[in-house]
């Protein structure tokens, strides 16, 4: 991408088009992402503390149900149609944490409901999240291999 | 016959009238500044259908029925139905043609379809091949989003130059009975590729095609910007409209306040969160067949130039890194 040869006329026009693009509000977006991302982390930490102190899970295991709970919240917010309205302002603050993953899976599943359980929901559920899973598994495998060989 | 003047324009010897129109707008479009000039406004974007695709089809049929009713025409009296839409294999139009039962020619011009249908219908009528033609087009925000971009509930930030696909449908009945504004000249555009690859920045991709067709129309007909009360492009949005203006001024054509864009007009850009404006087949169909048609009939505007603009890419072509080819067709409407 971007390496394709452009004719002089195309290059000239693309320069003009680039100039005409309204600039995104970088500072506002970064601030909102920082605050909302931080809030997600605070909730996650609160849940971890809840599972370890109140539910008496060992601290190193309390993270797993906490992550699952955050996924559940993200999925529910998507189902109720609120997630996209919040994400419009939060941006990366909600997209980068596991909430973004939950939203991409649930929104796809909802969207393709009409095409049936098999070819719709089940097949299309991971259209957006599929690459995250693929790279996650591949990375985990490589790290695991390094861990097994060198440590 | 010599109906063709210049390189791309057809002067219509026996100009047909737009006898009637039908418009159905989505709920969000119903909050915009043009709401009072649409025939019907949906309260539910699904229109009581089980899918967004079926919803789009139902409003396309509704718009066609409205156009027929306004002229007291029955569908059996119409010779041809020309329609197109954005969904794969133009299913909204194909399926609508079942229930209308009029001989059908499917069109694909992406968002230029309203102008394409008006232009083609006019040529067919002027050629004497039909006595009446119904032309229509539709788009649905949620159906288009899920085909071209992301699921409806996906939470992502939209770009500042991005446009909002209009939910709605517009139909026009062309013929020689009754009264109405006439289509007097048609300019079909060439497909242009100015190197745009970003499917979210359609305005910038389509602006050169619009400018080219406008220049061609003026050169072919000898008319100039001052000949028109209003010149509207289809769905360039704010970014595309500015770029189009710039392209034209570089070619020595200065457009004044009588130059606007249907995608900009249909929403209140300061209040409705649509970024650069509206897009989709329904943008130009709703604005032209709704408010502009009514203003023509009231003789508030006498000469209108509509330039329908379309981006002719598909999700497959841009995923494979190809540029976005664009087209624009111009239709001159006079009272």
């Amino acid at each position: 991408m971007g390496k394709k040869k452009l004719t002089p006329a195309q290059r000239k026009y693309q320069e003009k088009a680039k100039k005409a693009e309204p600039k995104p509000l970088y500072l506002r977006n970064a601030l909102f992402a920082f605050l909302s991302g931080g809030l997600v982390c605070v909730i996650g930490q609160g849940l971890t503390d809840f599972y370890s102190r109140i539910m008496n899970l060992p601290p190193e295991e309390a993270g797993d149900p906490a992550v699952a709970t955050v996924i559940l919240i993200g999925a529910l917010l998507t189902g109720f149609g609120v997630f996209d309205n919040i994400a419009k302002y939060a941006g990366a603050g909600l997209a980068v944490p596991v909430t973004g993953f939950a939203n991409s899976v649930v929104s796809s599943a909802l969207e393709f409901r009409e095409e049936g359980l098999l070819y719709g929901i089940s097949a299309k559920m991971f259209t957006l999240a599929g690459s995250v899973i693929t790279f996650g598994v591949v990375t985990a495998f490589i790290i695991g291999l390094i861990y097994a060989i060198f440590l | 016959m010599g109906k063709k003047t210049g390189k791309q324009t057809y002067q219509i010897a026996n100009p047909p009238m737009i006898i009637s129109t039908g418009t159905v707008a989505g709920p969000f479009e119903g909050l915009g500044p043009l709401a009072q000039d649409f025939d019907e406004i949906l309260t539910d974007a699904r229109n009581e259908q089980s899918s967004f695709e079926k919803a789009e089809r139902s409003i396309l049929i509704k718009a066609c029925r409205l156009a027929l009713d306004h002229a007291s025409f029955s569908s059996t009296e119409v010779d041809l139905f020309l329609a197109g839409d954005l969904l794969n294999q133009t299913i909204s139009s194909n399926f609508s043609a079942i229930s209308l039962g009029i001989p059908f020619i499917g069109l694909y011009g992406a968002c230029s379809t309203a102008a394409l249908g008006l232009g083609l219908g006019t040529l067919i009528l002027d050629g004497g091949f039909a006595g009446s033609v119904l032309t229509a087009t539709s788009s649905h925000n949620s159906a288009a989003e899920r085909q071209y971009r992301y699921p409806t509930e996906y939470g992502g930030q939209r770009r500042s130059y991005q446009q909002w696909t209009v939910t709605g449908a517009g139909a026009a009945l062309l013929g020689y009975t009754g009264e109405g504004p006439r289509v007097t000249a048609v300019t079909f555009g060439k497909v242009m590729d100015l190197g745009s690859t970003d499917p979210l920045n359609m305005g910038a991709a389509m602006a050169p095609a619009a400018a080219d067709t406008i220049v061609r129309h003026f050169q072919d007909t000898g008319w100039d910007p001052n000949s028109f009360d209003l010149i509207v492009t289809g769905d360039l949005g704010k970014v595309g409209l500015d770029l189009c203006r710039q392209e034209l001024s570089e070619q020595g054509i200065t457009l004044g306040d009588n130059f606007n864009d249907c995608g900009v007009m249909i929403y209140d850009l300061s209040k409705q969160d649509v970024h650069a404006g509206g897009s989709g087949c329904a943008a130009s169909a709703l604005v032209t067949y709704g408010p502009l048609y009514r203003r023509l009939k009231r003789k508030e505007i006498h000469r209108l130039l509509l330039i329908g603009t379309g981006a002719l890419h598909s999700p497959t072509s841009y995923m494979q890194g190809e540029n976005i080819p664009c087209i624009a067709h111009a239709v001159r409407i006079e009272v």
Side-chain angles (χ1 to χ4, degrees):
Chain A
M1 300 283 268
K3 279 179 189 157
K4 200 163 16 181
K5 282 200 184 75
L6 295 175
T7 64
Q10 287 177 329
R11 195 170 319 117
K12 198 172 146 228
Y13 180 71
Q14 288 308 314
E15 279 166 18
K16 279 187 273 183
K18 196 81 209 158
K19 253 183 247 158
E21 270 177 27
K23 294 278 160 286
L25 305 162
Y26 289 117
L27 211 62
R28 195 201 75 164
N29 287 350
L31 182 72
F32 281 6
F34 177 78
L35 292 175
S36 56
L39 186 68
V40 173
C41 295
V42 169
I43 294 170
Q45 188 57 50
L47 286 165
T48 312
D49 290 349
F50 167 80
Y51 284 116
S52 68
R53 292 194 189 164
I54 311 216
M55 307 299 277
N56 292 321
L57 281 175
E60 61 273 18
E61 283 174 27
D64 295 343
V67 169
T69 312
V70 175
I71 292 181
L72 179 71
I73 297 170
L76 285 175
L77 288 176
T78 306
F80 290 129
V82 202
F83 191 96
D84 54 336
N85 296 330
I86 309 173
K88 195 159 74 180
Y89 300 101
L94 278 188
V96 175
V98 77
T99 42
F101 178 79
N103 170 248
S104 70
V105 175
V106 176
S107 64
S108 303
L110 280 172
E111 194 71 45
F112 293 95
R113 197 182 46 181
E114 196 60 24
E115 278 88 330
L117 185 64
L118 201 61
Y119 294 108
I121 298 178
S122 323
K124 298 280 175 67
M125 196 167 179
F126 296 105
T127 41
L128 292 171
S131 46
V132 179
I133 297 172
T134 308
F135 282 106
V137 170
V138 171
T139 317
F141 174 76
I142 294 170
I143 301 287
L145 211 60
I146 294 170
Y147 201 78
I149 295 170
F150 297 105
L151 298 167
Chain B
M1 279 285 283
K3 282 178 184 169
K4 190 173 166 200
T5 55
K7 284 189 175 153
Q8 289 166 234
T9 305
Y10 299 88
Q11 297 273 14
I12 308 305
N14 185 17
M17 284 171 291
I18 305 175
I19 306 171
S20 65
T21 60
T23 48
V24 181
F28 188 60
E29 289 64 31
L31 300 173
L34 306 177
Q36 75 278 9
D37 281 321
F38 300 134
D39 295 331
E40 277 192 24
I41 293 165
L42 301 180
T43 46
D44 161 32
R46 273 188 189 267
N47 199 22
E48 296 171 359
Q49 305 291 316
S50 60
S51 72
F52 295 124
E53 288 74 13
K54 286 181 191 153
E56 177 173 335
R57 186 185 314 159
S58 71
I59 58 174
L60 179 55
I61 295 171
K62 183 80 201 166
C64 291
R65 296 259 179 234
L66 283 167
L68 293 173
D69 288 349
H70 290 159
S72 307
F73 257 64
S74 84
S75 56
T76 50
E77 292 171 88
V78 182
D79 294 321
L80 270 175
F81 177 42
L82 307 180
D85 57 276
L86 285 176
L87 300 185
N88 289 339
Q89 285 75 42
T90 62
I91 48 170
S92 307
S93 308
N94 300 348
F95 285 70
S96 300
I98 301 175
S99 87
L100 291 166
I102 308 168
F104 166 65
I105 299 175
L107 307 177
Y108 188 78
C111 312
S112 72
T113 307
L116 176 62
L118 267 183
L120 263 182
T122 298
L123 295 200
I124 291 169
L125 286 162
D126 190 37
F129 300 104
S132 57
V133 171
L134 180 67
T135 179
T137 188
S138 62
S139 55
H140 192 294
N141 180 279
S142 301
E145 278 298 313
R146 96 191 194 113
Q147 178 179 303
Y148 284 98
R149 296 175 196 105
Y150 298 112
T152 339
E153 294 301 331
Y154 178 72
Q157 264 175 339
R158 289 161 46 78
R159 304 286 162 87
S160 50
Y161 47 75
Q162 215 169 326
Q163 290 167 256
W164 185 268
T165 307
V166 171
T167 300
L173 182 65
L174 298 168
Y176 293 106
T177 50
E179 262 185 272
R182 293 174 186 271
V183 182
T184 56
V186 180
T187 305
F188 291 113
K190 291 178 291 193
V191 178
M192 312 263 296
D193 171 13
L194 264 292
S196 288
T197 51
D198 184 356
L200 301 178
N201 196 357
M202 309 280 257
M206 296 189 294
D212 187 69
T213 300
I214 293 172
V215 170
R216 185 51 58 199
H217 183 84
F218 289 154
Q219 283 180 354
D220 287 352
T221 59
W223 289 39
D224 60 60
N226 298 324
S227 315
F228 293 94
D229 298 310
L230 193 60
I231 299 170
V232 287
T233 47
D235 60 342
L236 294 180
K238 208 168 50 165
V239 177
L241 185 66
D242 289 345
L243 274 165
C244 183
R245 205 183 274 276
Q246 196 181 325
E247 287 294 290
L248 286 167
S249 76
E250 280 172 21
Q251 300 191 49
I253 297 174
T254 316
L255 289 169
D257 292 337
N258 63 342
F259 185 46
N260 212 333
D261 177 73
C262 298
V264 172
M265 292 157 79
I266 195 164
Y267 296 119
D268 183 341
L269 297 193
S270 61
K271 293 204 185 86
Q272 291 179 293
D273 192 18
V274 293
H275 299 81
S279 68
C281 301
S284 59
L286 280 178
V287 174
T288 308
Y289 300 154
L292 297 186
Y293 180 72
R294 289 184 184 184
R295 286 173 68 190
L296 281 161
K297 285 205 85 161
R298 289 197 298 262
K299 296 197 165 51
E300 288 169 20
I301 42 179
H302 295 90
R303 287 163 164 187
L304 168 73
L305 186 66
L306 165 72
I307 305 104
T309 44
L312 302 176
H313 66 297
S314 83
T316 309
S317 74
Y318 79 70
M319 292 281 275
Q320 294 182 353
E322 301 215 51
N323 294 349
I324 299 173
C326 294
I327 196 156
H329 303 297
V331 178
R332 188 173 76 201
I333 305 171
E334 294 178 75
V335 282

